[in-house]
């Protein structure tokens, strides 16, 4: 209910009015079942524009840091964000398992394979958690390109600017059925992740580091 209110009543209408965001490739979205939305990450507001453009509800994997402050904790909990500790270890494993569980329940799970926002607008090497989730949950991956969010809210900005043009583009589903029997092979995970990052690069036009 909170997600619906945020998207359709509280945040969605003013965001559409101010920024008039565009959405491309909506026909590539699966109508049923779980899938991963793997996107580039340029700005804090990426997590507003991507679910706004997606016709299905999106569950996010987000930085656990956002849960450390009462000012943001309530919002991310209500929006069903799954916290991820970037230092890895048992906490990171728990987040991956939570994402896999959400996918198996039929949710669309949003993830930024780079792990954090780009410091300079370039696209950085993806972490293999996205591949692990796709293979263990046996779901397709939709590469996503976000353009214009960095201009709306730069990395060092405290609040968004009230101008800018954002475009969200959803690529064709990527299927990795050929690897479903090797969900923890590190060479397979690296290969799958690199393929996902290549598709994001082709959509976004970013320089790949």
């Amino acid at each position: 209910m909170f997600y619906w209110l945020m998207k359709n009543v509280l945040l969605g209408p003013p965001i559409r009015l101010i920024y008039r965001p565009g959405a491309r490739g909506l026909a590539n979205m699966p109508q049923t079942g779980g899938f991963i939305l793997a996107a580039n990450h340029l700005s804090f507001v990426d997590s507003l524009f991507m679910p706004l453009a997606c016709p299905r509800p999106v569950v996010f994997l987000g930085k656990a840091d956002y849960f450390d402050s009462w000012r943001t904790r309530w919002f991310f909990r209500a929006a069903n964000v799954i916290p991820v500790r970037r230092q890895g270890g048992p906490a990171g494993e728990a987040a991956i398992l939570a994402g896999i569980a959400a996918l198996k329940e039929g949710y669309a799970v949003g993830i930024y394979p780079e792990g954090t926002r780009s410091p300079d607008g370039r696209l950085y090497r993806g972490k293999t958690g996205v591949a692990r989730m796709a293979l263990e949950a046996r779901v397709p991956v939709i590469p996503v390109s976000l353009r214009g969010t960095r201009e709306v809210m730069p990395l060092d900005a405290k609040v968004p600017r009230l101008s800018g043009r954002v475009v969200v583009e959803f690529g064709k589903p990527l299927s990795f059925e050929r690897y479903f029997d090797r969900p923890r092979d590190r060479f397979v995970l690296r290969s799958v992740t690199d393929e996902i990052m290549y598709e994001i690069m082709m959509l976004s036009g970013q320089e790949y580091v």
Side-chain angles (χ1 to χ4, degrees), residues 72-104:
T72 53
R73 185 186 307 125
W74 67 272
F75 172 81
F76 287 99
R77 280 182 176 169
N80 293 326
V81 172
I82 301 171
V84 176
R85 292 287 177 188
R86 286 193 289 176
Q87 64 265 31
E93 175 71 7
I96 289 177
L97 293 177
I100 292 170
L103 289 166
K104 288 182 175 180

Side-chain angles (χ1 to χ4, degrees), residues 61-74:
L61 299 181
K63 287 196 303 181
D65 306 39
Y66 295 141
F67 290 78
D68 294 338
S69 170
W70 65 268
R71 295 179 180 178
T72 53
R73 185 186 307 125
W74 67 272

Side-chain angles (χ1 to χ4, degrees), residues 53-65:
C54 182
R56 290 182 55 183
V58 180
V59 173
F60 271 103
L61 299 181
K63 287 196 303 181
D65 306 39

Side-chain angles (χ1 to χ4, degrees), residues 136-157:
E136 291 212 16
R138 302 193 169 201
V139 297
V141 178
I142 308 294
V144 183
S145 163
L146 290 146
R147 298 192 194 96
T149 54
R150 185 180 175 87
E151 289 68 38
V152 170
M153 190 171 181
L155 196 63
D156 57 351

Side-chain angles (χ1 to χ4, degrees), residues 134-138 176-185 188-189 192:
L135 298 186
E136 291 212 16
R138 302 193 169 201
F176 299 102
E177 292 182 10
R178 61 194 183 278
Y179 297 130
F180 281 172
D181 61 338
R182 290 184 285 165
R184 300 204 180 195
D185 184 313
V188 167
L189 294 177
V192 168

